[in-house]
Amino acid sequence: MPSYIQQAVCAFVVLWVLLSGEGRGFAEAPTLRLTLEDSIRLARERNFAVATARLNIAASRADRISAGLLPNPVLSLNDTFVDLQMPRNGSQVTARIDQPIETFGKRRYRIEASERAVESSDFQHRHQVRQLTLEVETTFYRILMLQKNLRLAEGSAERFAEILRVNTLRYRKGDISEAELIKIRLQQLDYQNDILSVRSEIQEQEKKLKELLVLDPSAPVELAGELEYQERRVDLENLKKEAVLSRPDMQEVESELRRVESEARLARAMRYPNVSVGMEYDTVGPDYHGMVGAGLSVSLPLFDRNQGEVRKANVRVETTRLSRQEKEHQILLDAEYAYRDFLQKRLQVLFFESQVLRDAASSREIAERAYTKGGASLLDLFDSERTYNTTQRNYHEALFQYQISLFQLDFVSGKEILR
């Protein structure tokens, strides 16, 4: 046997051993079977970014506690020596306590602003969860698509293994040339290489899924689901309405607007001074004991009336209103083009299912029968198989993109309107 044939056979054996032996190291570990709902639930429970967003809510609630606290009273003690030669006869001892009182609703506005900050943190958390959910859904279904491509490549490898077996017998009988047999063998190696390539892609996506779900790196995962077409009907106007009303990022901007409006009211209230009310107890020398006094102090807002902070607060209000308009416009655009993308992806799937898949399968069967009977060349057989595989892969990609367009509609609407 020529050396190049031996090299091709060795390469085939090595690939087959790698493919058949892959995964034996994980045989002892229990397989984690996940549905899409399981994956989303685990991601929401374990994901580090979502956990950080939850801690931000707790921090905002701590700020709310601080905002509601009253000012502490101030205690002062004074001992004034009137006569240094006779300190006990001439000293004056004063004990005084003062309580600052916030006026013109400052505490109320501060509490309102902190409560709106808690709301904003909660909406940020919800938005983080939505983004995580979309990422999990995309990764989950990408793996399902790659698994379909893997089964496709394995099917082609099995078909050409049988063709190789039959043609090996034909070669031994002298019905075909050695060159033709080598071409079939090399084509078989190409399909085995495709299997390795797709498995590598699946491993990469499984790694990403485990990162999102915070799973044990060594635990094998099995996904329970099927990538298939499901007819959906979506109303664009309802989609836009739900998006504006329900999206957490829109609600976050509205909450932020209410927060800066409360801060603006607080800044205007800060133009007016607070009042401190005090009580004191005095003793002077040996003769005057138990004298009680009361006092009130207030700063005079002659120069500083918080003019700069009031203007800055008003600017922040206007800026946030513009941000709200911008966000609403962005949401409407997202809804419009997500809907258009959904229609386009649905059309692509229906195009494949209408006739293209049947034509590709029929072409492959005709070419295989013709080759078996000697009515077609080996090149015709290869071309029909490649055309069939390309068509199937494109169909799988179209199914995947259609499914992602459904998830994208969920995402832009802020609600799971399709599931």
Side-chain angles (χ1 to χ4, degrees), residues 113-147:
S114 63
E115 288 176 344
R116 301 294 83 76
V118 173
E119 287 182 356
S120 294
S121 298
D122 182 58
F123 291 131
Q124 288 174 7
H125 170 258
R126 296 184 191 181
H127 186 56
Q128 183 78 40
V129 169
R130 290 174 60 247
Q131 290 178 317
L132 174 66
T133 300
L134 180 61
E135 196 168 0
V136 170
E137 292 168 336
T138 302
T139 306
F140 187 95
Y141 271 88
R142 188 178 295 278
I143 294 175
L144 293 182
M145 180 194 70
L146 291 172
Q147 288 175 344

Side-chain angles (χ1 to χ4, degrees), residues 78 92-96 280-284 288-293:
N78 293 295
Q92 176 181 349
V93 178
T94 301
R96 182 180 178 88
E280 70 177 44
Y281 177 85
D282 293 285
T283 64
V284 181
Y288 300 96
H289 299 280
M291 292 184 295
V292 178

Side-chain angles (χ1 to χ4, degrees), residues 32 68 166 306 335 365 373 388 392 419:
L32 180 61
V166 171
N306 209 40
E365 293 174 1
K373 296 178 181 180
Y388 176 80
Q392 287 291 330
R419 290 187 285 108

Side-chain angles (χ1 to χ4, degrees), residues 171-414:
Y171 166 70
R172 291 172 181 173
K173 294 178 180 179
D175 294 338
I176 63 173
S177 66
E178 183 181 15
E180 187 168 358
L181 180 64
I182 292 173
K183 291 178 182 180
I184 297 174
R185 187 180 293 119
L186 292 176
Q187 184 65 39
Q188 169 70 356
L189 289 175
D190 285 341
Y191 287 123
Q192 296 293 348
N193 186 61
D194 287 344
I195 293 175
L196 287 176
S197 177
V198 175
R199 284 185 174 178
S200 178
E201 293 182 62
I202 291 176
Q203 287 183 359
E204 182 179 347
Q205 292 301 315
E206 284 183 352
K207 174 178 177 290
K208 182 177 180 180
L209 186 65
K210 288 182 178 181
E211 289 177 353
L212 295 172
L213 275 58
V214 194
L215 297 177
D216 182 0
S218 61
V221 175
E222 177 187 347
L223 302 188
E226 188 61 40
L227 181 62
E228 57 186 13
Y229 175 73
Q230 295 180 353
E231 178 66 21
R232 303 292 189 191
R233 298 296 177 185
V234 181
D235 182 80
L236 178 58
E237 294 307 315
N238 286 337
L239 177 67
K240 291 181 178 180
K241 185 183 301 182
E242 290 289 345
V244 174
L245 293 177
S246 303
R247 276 183 52 163
D249 50 344
M250 183 67 189
Q251 294 172 331
E252 178 190 348
V253 174
E254 292 176 341
S255 179
E256 182 68 11
L257 176 59
R258 292 191 294 270
R259 185 184 69 82
V260 297
E261 287 174 345
S262 296
E263 289 182 345
R265 289 191 290 270
L266 176 61
R268 289 190 290 270
M270 293 296 291
R271 295 179 297 183
Y272 306 101
N274 295 331
V275 175
S276 290
V277 178
M279 297 287 295
E280 70 177 44
Y281 177 85
D282 293 285
T283 64
V284 181
D287 300 323
Y288 300 96
H289 299 280
M291 292 184 295
V292 178
L296 182 146
S297 63
V298 59
S299 64
L300 300 178
L302 298 179
F303 308 109
D304 183 359
R305 294 188 296 277
N306 209 40
Q307 300 96 320
E309 293 301 321
V310 170
R311 289 192 179 186
K312 284 170 60 178
N314 291 335
V315 170
R316 284 195 293 269
V317 170
E318 293 302 318
T319 301
T320 309
R321 285 175 179 167
L322 287 176
S323 297
R324 186 196 180 282
Q325 295 176 9
E326 179 184 15
K327 175 60 70 174
E328 182 176 356
H329 180 66
Q330 175 195 335
I331 287 174
L332 294 176
L333 281 175
D334 289 346
E336 176 72 31
Y337 282 88
Y339 178 74
R340 294 186 186 184
D341 185 65
F342 156 73
L343 295 179
Q344 182 67 26
K345 296 303 189 294
R346 184 177 65 180
L347 186 62
Q348 289 177 348
V349 172
L350 295 178
F351 171 74
F352 277 101
E353 293 188 346
S354 61
Q355 188 65 33
V356 174
L357 294 177
R358 289 192 295 272
D359 288 346
S362 298
S363 175
R364 184 178 70 164
E365 293 174 1
I366 292 172
E368 187 173 347
R369 286 197 301 267
Y371 174 75
T372 303
K373 296 178 181 180
S377 66
L378 187 62
L379 181 60
D380 294 332
L381 180 65
F382 289 167
D383 285 343
S384 66
E385 187 70 23
R386 279 194 293 267
T387 300
Y388 176 80
N389 286 343
T390 300
T391 302
Q392 287 291 330
R393 283 175 176 265
N394 290 339
Y395 174 58
H396 298 164
E397 178 68 24
L399 284 174
F400 170 72
Q401 293 296 337
Y402 172 73
Q403 186 64 56
I404 298 307
S405 73
L406 296 181
F407 294 144
Q408 192 68 33
L409 287 175
D410 294 347
F411 183 77
V412 300
S413 70

